Amino acid sequence: MNDFTAQDEPRSLWDNLTSHQADRYALVLAAAGIPYRFRRSGWGWTLEVLERDVSRAVTEIEQFNLENPLLEDHRQRPAPFLPPPPQTLTGAAAALLLLVFHLVTSRNGAHEAMIMEAGAHAARILEGEYWRTVTALTLHADARHLAGNMLGIAVFGTLLCRRVGVGAAWLLIVLAGAGGNLLNAWLHQTGFLSIGASTAVFAAVGLLGGVRVFPMEGAEYSGPRSWLLPVGAAFGLLAMLGSDVQTDIGAHLMGCVVGFVLGIAYTLMGPRHVSETRQNHLLLVALAVIAGSWWLVLEGS
């Protein structure tokens, strides 16, 4: 079945398929109504489908192989399709966005007032002003505070994007950062005030550990080493980067913990393959959460 047009950009799923595998996969995709084509490559055939059909095609073929294990040629079993890590500059873009927020919220001597209006004030968060858990991530005390968090979010945000995709990464970072601020507020139960993207930075560190506990590629659990290494790496980074006495260790720790748990939950319950279109939708959701939270601050001021 070849319903591709000149404008279509097919995605290669498997290389070096045998003719028997190609025939079986062709029947599976035809039965599911998924357009496909094969081309010669190396010592066999390469299966190609449209970008929008990648997730469905992988699911259909893997389900077929699970239901018909005796038909699979184990000597030439194709490796599971793994999308290449995205080459993204969104880490740098997020760092620049933090700079813009700092410049806007610091002008005309409004910095202190803005911190009081949008910072993570523990008591007011627990009274229902949950948007503060998000807006506080975009506020910084001074240039040094800002610079460190710009570097951290650029590095760890980019690493997470390469692991789970751009949209999923930034939505997880926003949610885990906000969750860290909420948990920190619950622990303090006072008028404690916290600001800074460092909670989101450590949330990204925790997420990087959490998404490695159960490999997203569907590999089987391989014992304690599969989770001890990411746990040690995540909390080692927490200890190394969060040791300054002037930093909010509680927010850093809570961000890391929430990120780690959320990373595990994402790999267990999230989709194995997220299309580029859906990644863009998730990125828009992350931006909408930030924009909506600030709208609530400005509306109430």
Side-chain angles (χ1 to χ4, degrees), residues 82-102:
L82 296 176
Q87 302 297 322
T88 175
L89 297 176
T90 54
L96 290 176
L97 189 60
L98 291 178
L99 175 60
V100 170
F101 269 108
H102 183 68

Side-chain angles (χ1 to χ4, degrees), residues 31-263:
I34 300 174
Y36 66 90
R37 72 182 180 194
F38 289 96
R39 60 178 175 81
R40 293 290 301 187
S41 65
W43 298 101
W45 298 89
T46 291
L47 169 63
E48 296 181 340
V49 299
L50 297 178
E51 180 72 34
R52 66 171 186 266
D53 295 323
V54 167
S55 181
R56 285 181 57 213
V58 170
T59 300
E60 292 288 343
I61 290 174
E62 291 186 343
Q63 185 64 34
F64 173 82
N65 287 334
L66 288 174
E67 295 175 352
N68 302 276
L70 297 180
L71 295 179
E72 181 66 18
D73 186 349
H74 293 284
R75 294 171 299 173
Q76 301 186 45
R77 177 180 294 175
F81 166 70
L82 296 176
Q87 302 297 322
T88 175
L89 297 176
T90 54
L96 290 176
L97 189 60
L98 291 178
L99 175 60
V100 170
F101 269 108
H102 183 68
L103 294 176
V104 171
T105 57
S106 300
R107 65 180 182 176
N108 299 326
H111 192 214
E112 294 298 327
M114 194 61 69
I115 289 176
M116 293 304 299
E117 289 292 329
H121 191 288
R124 296 182 67 173
I125 288 174
L126 297 178
E127 290 172 359
E129 297 183 4
Y130 299 116
W131 57 85
R132 288 174 173 271
T133 62
V134 176
T135 55
L137 300 174
T138 65
L139 296 172
H140 292 87
D142 51 38
R144 179 182 177 185
H145 187 204
L146 172 67
N149 285 335
M150 287 178 64
L151 176 61
I153 205 67
V155 172
F156 296 113
T158 299
L159 289 175
L160 188 63
C161 286
R162 292 180 60 81
R163 182 69 181 181
V164 301
V166 173
W170 291 113
L171 181 57
L172 287 170
I173 288 173
V174 170
L175 294 178
N181 278 336
L182 178 61
L183 188 56
N184 196 39
W186 180 80
L187 290 174
H188 282 92
Q189 298 276 333
T190 65
F192 181 81
L193 182 65
S194 176
I195 60 171
S198 52
T199 308
V201 172
F202 283 100
V205 173
L207 283 161
L208 282 167
V211 297
R212 285 174 169 79
V213 174
F214 299 104
M216 295 184 68
E217 295 81 6
E220 294 182 359
Y221 178 70
S222 57
R225 291 183 62 185
S226 65
W227 57 268
L228 283 176
L229 180 60
V231 167
F235 285 95
L237 282 171
L238 173 68
M240 180 177 66
L241 300 177
S243 58
D244 192 323
V245 294
Q246 295 183 341
T247 60
D248 183 1
I249 300 298
H252 292 181
L253 178 60
M254 294 305 103
C256 193
V257 169
V258 173
F260 186 75
V261 173
L262 194 58

